[in-house]
């Protein structure tokens, strides 16, 4: 917001300098750090509304050349200037005759350009005009850069605060689903997203299941499933790579099936995998910045950090639950009695299969022997955990090289 305010103030200043230099039109273009393009942030003149927001490739036209080289340029007659492209004129219907264009320089480099078009008296601009515009551009660049630095600092503070809050939520003693719900709500708010969700992977099927969600259609999402590899979330879960998608419908990996099912419109996406030492267990995903602007690389890095912490908490909770269940079963005094019947019945069936396979299907013998070995391991485990039998108790024989012996 601070940067936008400074740009607006720079625009007002440009209008005053344009009037003082008798220019018919003018513009202020800022460099997009992500793409390197120049964006018409401020425009004045008869076709201002048609060019505001347009983009130029670095090096394209006079403005692109100035931004790339860092050199000011005075062009008395564009028809004799090979660096003039005329693309913006064709798109807007404006006719450029002469140009003043100067770079906006800071200690970090070239952040954009300021340009004025067509002297209202019909004559070319002068060297004195160029020097005055250079002084204005230098001051404007300093003001915008200061606003950017303040915005960056404020953002870093907000991100640290968000990470601390999310970490506190994830490390709380609440129910896991409640913890994840609170965490996704805080992340969605911190990154100014319209909607967010956390999907967990089904180990048996590979599907992703919406576990918690926040946003205008959140109530439609929990327990819905995505097939393995489906959509952006499926791609992230399969590849293990985080993804920033500024234009969802321009990305071939995007699937609008979920949008159609729940009545939502996805424009931009941040998606990060939930990684543990055992692999990918899910995905956390944010949709559509609430202010209409695209997500940034900094947003994605913050989401990746939070996803890593969330994955560790989820995996830890799962391991604790498995240990609790195992201890509950193992602590039962009649464990051996509960299992001995089914285990011995299964053992007899395997022995019968072994005898039949030895005569008619020798290729099945190794598989059956392996099953019998695992069954014997289960017998030993139940005896050890329940301590129901003394150490000198006779045990069932393992299958020998010529076949099994009944217990």
């Amino acid at each position: 917001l601070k940067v936008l305010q400074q740009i607006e103030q720079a625009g007002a200043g440009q209008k005053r300098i344009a009037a003082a230099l008798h220019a018919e039109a003018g513009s202020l273009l800022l460099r997009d750090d992500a793409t390197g393009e120049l964006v018409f942030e401020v425009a004045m003149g008869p076709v201002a509304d048609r060019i505001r927001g347009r983009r130029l490739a670095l090096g394209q036209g006079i403005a692109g050349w100035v931004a790339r080289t860092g050199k000011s340029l005075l062009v008395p007659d564009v028809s004799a200037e090979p660096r003039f492209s005329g693309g913006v004129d064709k798109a807007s219907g404006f006719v450029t005759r002469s140009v003043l264009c100067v770079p906006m320089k800071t200690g970090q480099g070239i952040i954009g350009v300021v340009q004025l078009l067509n002297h209202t008296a019909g004559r070319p601009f002068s060297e004195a005009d160029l020097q005055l515009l250079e002084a204005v551009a230098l001051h404007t660049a300093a003001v915008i850069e200061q606003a950017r630095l303040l915005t960056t600092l404020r953002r870093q503070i907000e991100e640290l605060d968000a990470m601390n809050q999310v970490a506190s939520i994830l490390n709380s003693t609440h129910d896991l689903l409640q913890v994840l719900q609170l965490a996704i709500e805080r992340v969605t708010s911190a990154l100014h997203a319209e909607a967010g969700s956390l999907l967990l992977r089904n180990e048996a099927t590979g599907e992703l299941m919406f576990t918690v969600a926040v946003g205008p259609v959140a109530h439609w999402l929990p327990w819905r499933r995505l097939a393995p590899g489906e959509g952006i979330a499926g791609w992230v879960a399969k590849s293990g790579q985080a993804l920033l998608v500024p234009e969802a419908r321009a990305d071939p990996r995007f699937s609008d099936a979920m949008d159609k099912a729940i009545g939502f419109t996805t424009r931009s996406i941040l998606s990060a995998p939930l990684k543990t030492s055992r692999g990918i267990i899910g995905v956390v995903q944010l949709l559509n910045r609430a202010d209409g602007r695209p997500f940034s690389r900094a947003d994605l890095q913050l989401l990746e950090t939070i996803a890593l912490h969330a994955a560790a908490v989820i995996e830890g909770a799962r391991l604790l639950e498995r240990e609790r269940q195992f201890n509950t079963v193992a602590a039962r005094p009649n464990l051996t009695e509960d299992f001995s019947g089914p285990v011995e019945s299964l053992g007899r069936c395997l022995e019968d299969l072994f005898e039949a396979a030895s005569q008619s299907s020798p290729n099945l013998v190794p598989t059956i022997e392996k099953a019998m070995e695992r069954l014997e391991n289960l017998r030993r485990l139940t005896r050890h955990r329940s301590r129901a039998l003394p150490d000198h108790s006779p045990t069932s024989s393992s299958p020998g090289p010529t076949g099994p012996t009944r217990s």
Side-chain angles (χ1 to χ4, degrees):
L1 181 60
K2 184 72 173 176
V3 175
L4 291 176
Q5 290 172 344
Q6 293 297 340
I7 291 173
E8 289 175 358
Q9 291 177 14
Q14 187 188 32
K15 290 179 181 179
R16 290 192 293 271
I17 195 66
L21 292 178
H22 307 286
E24 184 181 347
S27 55
L28 184 151
L29 300 86
L30 291 181
R31 185 172 178 176
D32 185 329
D33 291 335
T35 65
E37 297 173 309
L38 291 173
V39 183
F40 284 86
E41 296 286 357
V42 176
M44 53 154 291
V47 294
D49 292 340
R50 300 178 195 173
I51 65 171
R52 196 175 293 114
R54 291 183 66 89
R55 292 174 174 259
L56 295 178
L58 190 64
Q60 179 184 351
I62 290 173
W65 184 89
V66 169
R68 182 168 57 83
T69 63
K71 298 178 180 180
S72 300
L73 200 60
L74 190 164
V75 181
D77 183 3
V78 297
S79 64
E81 174 55 63
R83 288 167 290 196
F84 178 70
S85 68
V88 176
D89 277 12
K90 292 178 182 177
S92 65
F94 188 75
V95 178
T96 301
R97 298 185 301 275
S98 59
V99 180
L100 271 184
C101 191
V102 300
M104 291 195 292
K105 297 179 180 179
T106 71
Q108 305 299 316
I110 309 300
I111 65 168
V113 301
V114 178
Q115 67 178 4
L116 299 179
L117 309 178
N118 303 351
H119 198 289
T120 54
R123 63 174 178 80
F125 293 105
S126 67
E127 285 293 337
D129 295 334
L130 183 64
Q131 292 172 9
L132 178 57
L133 189 60
E134 284 179 324
V136 171
L138 189 63
H139 175 71
T140 302
V143 171
I144 292 175
E145 186 65 10
Q146 183 182 33
R148 282 179 167 178
L149 290 174
L150 289 173
T151 299
T152 299
L153 179 60
R154 186 179 295 110
R155 177 184 176 81
Q156 290 173 344
I157 294 172
E158 290 175 352
E159 288 178 353
L160 286 173
D161 180 58
M163 287 179 62
N164 287 334
Q165 289 189 38
V166 171
S168 177
I169 291 169
L170 289 173
N171 292 329
S172 67
T173 57
H174 295 97
D175 172 78
L176 180 60
L177 278 181
Q178 183 182 1
V179 166
L180 295 179
Q181 181 67 43
L182 291 173
I184 196 67
E185 288 175 1
R186 184 65 189 93
V187 172
T188 301
S189 173
L191 292 178
H192 310 288
E194 184 180 347
S197 56
L198 187 147
L199 302 87
L200 293 180
R201 184 174 179 270
N202 184 305
E203 293 183 5
T205 66
E207 294 175 311
L208 288 174
M209 183 168 64
F210 286 88
T211 305
V212 293
V214 62
V217 292
H219 58 288
W220 290 107
L221 285 174
W223 316 122
R224 285 182 176 268
R225 297 171 181 264
L226 296 178
E230 181 183 352
I232 297 295
W235 184 90
V236 168
K238 185 176 180 180
S239 68
Q241 299 177 33
L243 200 59
L244 165 58
V245 183
E247 294 289 342
R249 279 161 176 73
D251 194 305
R253 294 166 292 195
F254 174 70
S255 168
D256 65 353
M258 191 60 67
D259 275 11
K260 291 178 178 177
I262 64 177
F264 188 75
T265 300
T266 300
R267 298 185 302 275
S268 56
I269 304 172
L270 281 182
S271 191
L274 296 169
K275 292 182 180 180
T276 71
S277 58
R278 298 174 61 246
I280 308 301
I281 64 170
V283 171
V284 59
Q285 187 161 268
L286 300 181
L287 308 178
N288 305 350
R289 270 191 67 107
D291 57 9
R293 298 173 68 87
F295 290 111
S296 67
R297 283 286 165 191
D299 294 333
L300 185 62
Q301 290 170 1
L302 177 59
L303 187 63
E304 284 184 282
T305 301
I306 291 172
L308 194 62
H309 192 170
V313 170
I314 294 169
E315 188 66 5
R318 285 177 169 179
L319 289 174
L320 287 174
E321 177 61 19
R322 288 170 187 155
E323 182 180 359
R324 186 192 66 79
Q325 293 176 354
F326 180 79
N327 290 337
T328 299
V329 173
R332 293 170 61 177
N334 60 340
L335 180 66
T336 299
E337 289 79 358
D338 288 345
F339 281 95
S340 61
V343 166
E344 295 309 318
S345 176
L346 179 58
R348 288 191 292 272
C349 288
L350 287 174
E351 290 173 6
D352 291 341
L353 285 173
F354 182 89
E355 292 176 0
S358 299
Q359 299 176 11
S360 59
S361 304
N363 60 316
L364 294 179
V365 170
T367 301
I368 298 172
E369 286 180 332
K370 190 68 175 178
M372 296 176 77
E373 180 183 346
R374 290 176 177 173
L375 184 63
E376 182 58 30
N377 288 337
L378 180 60
R379 285 191 180 108
R380 284 196 291 268
L381 177 63
T382 55
R383 283 195 295 270
H384 173 73
R385 295 297 297 178
S386 66
R387 303 183 185 276
L389 296 175
D391 293 340
H392 59 272
S393 174
T395 58
S396 300
S397 301
S398 299
T402 58
T405 301
R406 293 184 183 271
S407 302

